[in-house]
């Protein structure tokens, strides 16, 4: 549904008559992934009008960019696989570091983690990052099973546990890219494997709990389902769970929603600010990226969307409830166990997609 | 020359909006995937000459995965079309039988939901069917069920959405056909002693067959490629061709294979369209000649429409 909305927004953007004098910046970002006040301040300060459009899956973003002339000036792809592939396909424009003084604000350690796919960090600056793990409706799970093991993927992936919790709703987000690495790590295998036997093991593990899954929705839809209580255990992005928790609290129904990063190995990902090679207004794009990378702006964004950023100077400015939440900024110990999955080759990708559709189909 | 001028606009239209896109699609289906923007090599280039491949089409034929999804799509489309037809027939019969002043308001009632947005209607079904939704709320509130029933993300929910979305496509051609039929034929059958049921079975139903075929196909064809309804309301295992095509295009970024799938779906759907044309020709012949004959014998002053 969100996909359709963003399509409608794009259409509206195309139909809107371009204002003759005012420069326009087209930003394409994940849904629910910015503090709207930051956009307003950018518009006021620079006089550049921002047209903001959203997606809720990397597939949508990559599909549009692959067609060429997407019309976007700033995009926010995830480091692996989309950003890596866009770099390789020559679809991105190198950042002009002289015009981006605030690049210096970024944590060199985190930027180093991205340099594996973008040597010298030529094409991207970290916007936000996060992990993949379980969103758990603690209130509902406890009602069914008070002593349920709430510390890792065993809760969802062990068939006997899944069977016990099936009545309150289990779900896995619909993304082979962002689910398989965690499942492989849970099995004690290499998350980047292309070995058919190891992929088969992951498929069997997923199929074993498949009958208990209520849905396999897109991440955006899954956020809503967690917030409304449609599901009680879901494998999805960290910040989505924390956003869902905040939304559910607004609804005020005694909802208790927690996030758990798997102890068997945490899938770590980075979303990068980048400029498409054919961006209509790269100057405005640079101005936007530099503006966003100010500590004050990043703090506002993290406070709003509950994903950590990579600007250490923003940390003291983040709302305390978000800053001190260990599910937002994972503790050092968890980061030490974290891995950034690599991008599979075309054959490996197809094997994984095929595996995923068999899992979706339940056969 | 005049004839040429008259035919030019429709031919230009067909060329620009049907033939050209299909040709482009077929071209992509014959090309090789490669990283880049767009992610394939054109099948023919000035520098390299022919660099296309039949591999994508072969993959479709050899890999049972695709045949399976086609089959499931055709089954879902067939069931949806049959359900629509079954529901639309009595509605169309009723509208055709209504007094003239009533027909337009009745048709408007069929069409009215169709004029609201497609997605809000699906969203409404989600709101009705989900665990905390209205239907489950009423059922548990009345004590009929202990907990919420898993109504959403099921085959039933998917068919409900399909029928709701496509029902007007079935009602309209059926109503048109039933309105056009010659009532004198039915009257003659009744005069000759046929019961209303026999009249319906032996006269009305055969006369309405072309309309029924049109209704079935108008639902079947879009339903076969439907992507949104199974995705939003159906179970995750509803792996229809629309979904498979989406996965090839977006997840594997294999535009050539996705294009090959689209062309295959098009070719598959041409068969029922041809069948419909044959039925229509046969039907209009059947529909046209007997009434003129019967009309001649019945023209002895009796008023038609005694059945009503």
């Amino acid at each position: 549904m969100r996909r359709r909305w963003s399509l409608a927004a794009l259409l509206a953007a195309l139909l809107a008559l371009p204002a003759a004098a005012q420069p326009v910046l087209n930003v394409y970002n994940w849904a629910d992934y910015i503090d709207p006040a930051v956009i307003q301040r950018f518009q006021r300060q620079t006089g550049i009008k921002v047209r903001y459009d959203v997606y809720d899956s990397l597939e949508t973003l990559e599909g549009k960019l692959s067609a060429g002339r997407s019309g976007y000036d700033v995009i926010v792809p995830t480091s692996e696989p989309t950003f890596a592939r866009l770099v390789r396909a020559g679809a991105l424009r190198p950042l002009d570091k002289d015009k981006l003084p605030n690049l210096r604000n970024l944590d060199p350690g985190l930027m180093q983690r991205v340099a594996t796919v973008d040597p010298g960090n030529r094409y991207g600056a970290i916007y936000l990052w996060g992990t993949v793990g379980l969103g758990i409706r603690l209130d509902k799970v406890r009602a069914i099973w008070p002593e349920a093991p709430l510390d890792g993927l065993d809760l969802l992936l062990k068939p006997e546990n899944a069977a016990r919790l099936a009545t309150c709703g289990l779900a896995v987000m619909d993304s082979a890219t962002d689910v398989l690495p965690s499942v492989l790590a849970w099995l004690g295998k290499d998350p980047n494997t292309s070995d058919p036997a190891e992929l088969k093991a992951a498929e069997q593990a997923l199929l074993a709990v498949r009958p208990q899954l209520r849905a396999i929705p897109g991440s955006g839809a899954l956020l809503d389902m967690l917030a409304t209580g449609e599901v009680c255990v879901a494998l999805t992005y960290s910040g989505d769970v924390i956003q869902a928790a905040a939304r559910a609290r607004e609804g005020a129904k005694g909802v208790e929603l927690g996030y758990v990063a798997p102890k068997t190995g945490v899938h770590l990902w980075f979303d990068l600010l980048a400029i498409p090679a054919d961006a209509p207004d790269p100057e405005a794009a640079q101005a936007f990226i530099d503006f966003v990378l100010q500590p004050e702006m990043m703090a506002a964004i993290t406070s709003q969307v509950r994903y950590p950023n990579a600007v250490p100077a923003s940390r003291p400015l983040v709302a305390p409830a978000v800053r001190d939440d260990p599910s937002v900024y994972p503790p050092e110990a968890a980061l030490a166990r974290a891995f950034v999955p690599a991008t599979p080759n075309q054959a490996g990708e197809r094997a994984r997609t095929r595996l995923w559709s068999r899992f979706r189909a339940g056969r | 020359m005049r004839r040429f001028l008259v035919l030019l606009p429709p031919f230009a239209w067909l060329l620009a909006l049907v033939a050209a896109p299909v040709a482009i699609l077929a071209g992509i289906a014959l090309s090789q995937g490669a990283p880049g923007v767009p992610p394939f090599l054109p099948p023919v280039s000035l520098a390299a000459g022919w660099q296309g491949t039949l591999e994508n089409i072969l993959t479709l034929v050899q890999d049972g995965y695709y045949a399976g999804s086609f089959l499931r799509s055709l089954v879902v489309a067939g069931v949806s079309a049959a359900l629509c037809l079954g529901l639309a027939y009595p509605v169309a019969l009723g509208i055709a039988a209504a007094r003239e002043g009533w027909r337009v308001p009745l048709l408007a009632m069929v069409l009215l939901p169709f004029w609201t947005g497609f997605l809000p209607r699906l969203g409404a079904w989600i709101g009705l069917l989900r665990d905390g939704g209205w239907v489950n709320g009423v059922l548990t509130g009345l004590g009929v069920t202990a907990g919420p029933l898993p109504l959403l993300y099921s085959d039933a929910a998917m068919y409900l959405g399909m029928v709701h979305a496509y029902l007007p496509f079935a009602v309209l051609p059926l109503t048109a056909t039933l309105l056009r039929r010659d009532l004198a034929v039915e009257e003659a059958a009744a005069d000759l002693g046929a019961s209303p049921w026999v009249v319906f079975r032996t006269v009305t139903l055969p006369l309405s067959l072309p309309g029924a075929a049109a209704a079935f196909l108008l639902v079947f064809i879009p339903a076969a490629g439907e992507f949104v309804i199974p995705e939003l309301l159906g179970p995750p295992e509803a792996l229809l061709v629309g979904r498979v095509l989406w996965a090839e295009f977006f997840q594997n970024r294999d535009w050539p294979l996705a294009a090959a799938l689209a062309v295959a779906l098009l070719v598959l759907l041409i068969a029922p369209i041809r069948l419909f044309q044959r039925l229509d020709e046969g039907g209009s012949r059947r529909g046209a000649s007997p009434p003129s004959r019967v009309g001649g014998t019945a023209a002895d002053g009796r008023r038609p429409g005694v059945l009503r």
Side-chain angles (χ1 to χ4, degrees), chain B residues 193-246:
Chain B
S195 68
W197 166 245
V198 173
V199 173
F200 173 77
R201 203 167 45 85
T202 56
V203 181
T204 316
L205 193 63
L207 280 179
S208 67
L209 271 184
F216 187 88
L217 278 170
L218 280 176
V219 177
F220 182 85
I221 290 167
E226 180 59 50
F227 168 68
V228 179
I229 297 173
E231 195 64 8
L232 289 182
L233 301 179
E237 63 265 27
L239 208 62
L240 307 183
V241 88
R243 168 75 202 185
V244 171
L245 208 155
W246 183 90

Side-chain angles (χ1 to χ4, degrees), chain A residues 167 214, chain B residues 130-132 135-141 143-151:
Chain A
T167 49
R214 179 158 303 168
Chain B
R130 68 190 180 82
D131 279 11
V135 174
N136 270 316
V138 169
L139 285 179
T140 43
V144 182
T145 54
L149 297 173
L151 300 172

Side-chain angles (χ1 to χ4, degrees), chain A:
Chain A
M1 196 152 20
R2 276 151 196 264
R3 202 172 297 128
R4 280 297 173 97
W5 281 121
S6 64
L7 209 71
L10 176 74
L11 214 68
L14 287 175
L15 289 176
L17 288 171
Q22 198 180 19
V24 173
L25 177 75
N26 292 292
V27 178
Y28 198 32
N29 196 357
W30 290 86
D32 303 320
Y33 211 45
I34 200 165
D35 179 1
V38 169
I39 301 177
Q40 280 160 18
R41 287 183 64 173
F42 175 76
Q43 296 193 126
R44 264 203 310 275
Q45 245 179 58
T46 59
I48 299 172
K49 186 180 155 44
V50 175
R51 263 192 225 131
Y52 193 80
D53 188 10
V54 298
Y55 50 87
D56 85 336
S57 78
L58 288 172
E59 285 82 11
T60 314
L61 167 69
E62 213 171 334
K64 265 190 198 171
L65 281 176
S66 301
R69 291 194 206 92
S70 62
Y72 294 112
D73 298 298
V74 175
I75 53 169
V76 192
T78 302
S79 65
E80 305 259 15
T82 303
F83 176 71
R85 274 198 298 256
L86 290 173
V87 168
R88 256 179 270 153
L92 298 178
R93 184 188 172 93
L95 301 174
D96 186 349
K97 296 194 177 175
D98 296 337
K99 293 192 179 126
L100 293 167
N102 286 326
L103 273 183
R104 277 195 305 272
N105 297 342
L106 289 165
D107 181 341
L110 290 175
M111 287 299 277
Q112 196 53 48
R113 291 228 191 199
V114 190
T116 45
V117 292
D118 177 18
N121 295 118
R122 290 182 63 217
Y123 293 98
I126 297 177
Y127 177 61
L128 297 172
W129 53 282
T131 56
V132 174
L134 290 181
I136 305 174
R137 280 288 297 260
L138 299 166
D139 47 338
K140 290 199 163 190
V141 169
R142 271 198 219 108
I144 296 177
W145 186 10
E147 62 279 7
L150 299 175
D151 57 345
L153 286 180
D154 280 2
L155 186 66
L156 179 73
L157 291 180
K158 277 210 168 147
E160 61 271 24
N161 295 351
R164 225 169 144 171
L165 293 170
T167 49
C168 74
L170 308 177
V172 165
M173 68 170 147
D174 187 12
S175 167
T177 310
D178 288 332
V179 171
L180 282 179
S182 297
V183 175
L184 284 162
W186 177 73
L187 288 167
K189 316 251 186 244
D190 173 12
N192 298 326
T193 189
S194 285
D195 176 2
E198 296 195 327
L199 286 175
K200 194 79 202 161
E203 179 178 348
Q204 272 156 0
L206 283 166
L207 279 176
V209 296
R210 174 68 187 77
Q212 323 294 352
L213 296 181
R214 179 158 303 168
I216 306 173
S219 62
L222 189 48
L223 197 164
D224 293 338
M225 293 170 85
L226 269 173
T228 57
E230 197 112 335
V231 296
C232 67
V233 178
L235 183 61
T236 186
Y237 304 118
S238 52
D240 279 21
V241 176
I242 303 159
Q243 274 186 50
R247 205 179 285 179
R249 272 197 300 275
E250 280 163 24
K253 285 183 281 184
V255 175
E256 224 187 315
L257 186 53
Y259 176 74
V260 173
K263 57 178 180 186
T264 39
V266 186
H267 174 169
L268 188 64
W269 50 261
F270 299 91
D271 283 340
L272 294 121
L273 293 158
I275 306 175
D278 54 7
D281 194 344
E283 292 301 314
Q286 306 249 29
F288 182 79
I289 291 174
D290 200 54
F291 184 85
V292 163
L293 288 177
Q294 299 172 84
E296 195 192 337
M297 299 304 150
M298 280 319 316
I301 292 169
T302 291
S303 303
Q304 170 86 20
V305 306
R306 295 167 164 85
Y307 278 100
N309 62 62
V311 175
S314 75
R315 200 71 179 262
L317 307 170
V318 174
V322 176
R323 183 184 58 210
D324 303 331
D325 184 343
S327 350
V328 176
Y329 282 97
E332 284 303 320
L335 274 185
R337 280 183 280 120
F339 61 89
V340 182
T343 305
N345 59 21
Q346 174 89 43
E349 188 87 39
R350 185 175 295 279
R352 284 168 176 239
T353 306
R354 204 50 92 68
L355 180 169
W356 193 254
S357 32
R358 281 194 300 268
F359 159 61
R360 277 180 56 97
R363 71 188 120 225

